[in-house]
Amino acid sequence: QEQLADSGGGSVQAGGSLRLSCKASGYIYANHSMAWFRQAPGKEREAVAGINTNDFTKYADAVKGRFTVSRGDANSMYLQLDRLQPEDSAMYYCAADPNVRALEIDMLIWPRLFQVWGQGTQVTVSS
């Protein structure tokens, strides 16, 4: 069974950092596009960053220069969150999709496109 397990969330003060991890089991995601999403209470899920099989990356404007997505081995992905702001508070999810060209698609479409999801990890930033 395909599974993604995301972890690393926590509570930090504004300006702090966190590193989120996404570990896959039951399937090899080396040939998948992978991405991070977040969802704050009362808001729609939004794409934050993605990385493809060639390590090409794409970021939402709100996080450019502050967040960094990377892949470890074939079944792991990370999101380094620096200079966190209160508006970054949300549940963060990792996801995978077999479409290797998924990152070419508008990021607004990604929440409906990505097929395999982690359970989420909470990030809370206080001012």
Side-chain angles (χ1 to χ4, degrees):
Q1 181 180 358
E2 302 173 6
Q3 283 190 325
L4 296 175
D6 28 32
S7 62
S11 297
V12 298
Q13 291 190 327
S17 297
L18 286 170
R19 188 175 190 239
L20 307 184
S21 297
C22 177
K23 302 289 187 181
S25 63
Y27 194 80
I28 301 298
Y29 289 94
N31 295 323
H32 282 54
S33 298
M34 298 190 75
W36 288 96
F37 297 78
R38 67 186 181 187
Q39 187 168 18
K43 295 188 176 181
E44 293 187 355
R45 189 170 297 187
E46 62 178 358
V48 173
I51 185 166
N52 70 7
T53 56
N54 295 319
D55 286 338
F56 170 79
T57 57
K58 192 170 182 178
Y59 296 92
D61 288 343
V63 307
K64 279 181 183 175
R66 300 188 299 119
F67 291 9
T68 304
V69 61
S70 62
R71 298 182 81 137
D73 57 25
N75 277 359
S76 62
M77 176 179 63
Y78 305 95
L79 186 67
Q80 178 69 36
L81 292 73
D82 295 317
R83 290 186 282 142
L84 281 161
Q85 303 167 6
E87 50 266 37
D88 295 318
S89 296
M91 186 72 79
Y92 283 70
Y93 301 87
C94 68
D97 191 83
N99 182 358
V100 297
R101 303 184 64 177
L103 269 63
E104 299 177 26
I105 299 169
D106 191 323
M107 291 182 80
L108 292 175
I109 307 298
W110 290 10
R112 301 196 298 272
L113 173 67
F114 278 72
Q115 297 184 9
V116 184
W117 292 83
Q119 80 285 356
T121 184
Q122 179 68 40
V123 171
T124 302
V125 185
S126 57
S127 58

